[in-house]
Amino acid sequence: MNTANSSTSPNAPPSRLARIAQARQSLMVDGRSVAPGWVAPWVERSWQRCLASGLQPASQVSFAQVTTPLLRYTLEANQGLIAAAQPMLHNLARAIVNTRYFAILTNADGVVVDACGAIDHADPRAHLITRVGTDLSERSIGTTAIGTALSEQQPVWLHRGEHFFDQTSVYSCAGAPLFGPDGACVGMLDVTGVDAQERPELKHLVMQSASKIENALVTALPHALLLRLNWPGNSLGGDADGILCLDMDGWITGANPVARQMVPGLAAPDQTPVHVSDVFGQPVEPLFDAAKRPGKPIELPLWSGLRLQALAITRADEANPLQTGPSAGPARALREVEAAMIRKAVDDARGNVGQAARALGISRATLYRKLGPKPS
């Protein structure tokens, strides 16, 4: 009996692309619901919205740009988003440079406001979707990571035929919505590949990059005090922190999405600002006092009875490297030990700096820099 081809048994589960094709046939041709597991529920919802709006999968996609006056208004209205996102876009482009994927930033309406990465502008499939001003909304080009992330307000991953139009089935893309300091959606971040290998891990990378952009949007606001928040037992100072910004009187001027998950009662878009004492069982004055002790976490009681740990940082101190709790001491001790080793090497070399540098395996310039001024 020949068992060499047993792995290709007709009873084997269909491939991912086969399941997508079955889902398209079921919904778009036969008019039936998609079987569970063929595509994600939000993909089917997007397909349903596209069909309900009169779109047809076989139609040509124009990748139209908005008018010049609207583009000018869009870029002016999104200056803050573009400035906050540019450093993260360049970092994202470096991470995906060898994957045939590139990054796209849109506003809340799905209009491209920036793009970055290894974009092959000789390929219209890449060039057309990365032009600033191109409308990539769901109503314009159907189901994509961009339109679906904005419609569903959640991170998504789409591969090939999960895009609505036949013409857009060459793309694979991950997208995450971006939320501003008031909690409103301000745009989305996307990575797209053309005829590229499926890489669903890019969804995680996009989510991380989106979080950094959201944090940058909050800290760019005028504020007097920044609170970094986390649950007790977790370290403070990373991208996973909740961030609240306060003015001099303790009114909350903005919060990142993590803080909105941790702290109940923060103002929603277009609502009256909330005072910090309305969300924490503590007046504002001790928070400004805590900022005078950099790197010293405090505990903040929520009115629910839960407690958060926090770092209070003045606007002037935000540019300083963040060292918290016991980590500050060992860092200084390490520098002192290093300086002592260098001084001993110089003493052993009887003051011959070049010989001491060779013994330590560093250059003379590095030795002088690490040695610093000699104590009096």
Side-chain angles (χ1 to χ4, degrees), residues 204-278:
H204 181 260
L205 177 59
V206 169
M207 291 169 60
Q208 280 195 334
S209 301
S211 178
K212 292 176 186 288
I213 294 171
E214 291 165 340
N215 292 351
L217 286 169
V218 175
T219 56
L221 288 175
H223 61 275
L225 192 71
L226 182 147
L227 294 179
R228 284 189 166 272
L229 309 171
N230 218 319
W231 299 106
N234 294 321
S235 60
L236 284 163
D239 295 324
D241 289 348
I243 297 177
L244 287 182
C245 288
L246 315 179
D247 68 13
M248 285 295 297
D249 298 318
W251 292 97
I252 297 172
T253 61
N256 71 348
V258 177
R260 292 183 178 278
Q261 295 177 53
M262 293 177 173
V263 182
L266 296 178
D270 301 323
Q271 287 187 340
T272 304
V274 172
H275 195 268
V276 71
S277 60
D278 293 330

Side-chain angles (χ1 to χ4, degrees), residues 195 218 304:
D195 284 336
V218 175
S304 64

Side-chain angles (χ1 to χ4, degrees), residues 328-343:
R332 287 194 295 270
L334 182 60
R335 288 194 294 270
E336 292 166 2
V337 168
E338 184 181 60
M341 291 176 62
I342 291 173
R343 293 190 187 280

Side-chain angles (χ1 to χ4, degrees), residues 283-298:
V284 67
E285 291 80 10
L287 298 179
F288 281 92
D289 290 339
K292 299 174 183 176
R293 303 183 297 275
K296 300 292 184 183
I298 58 174

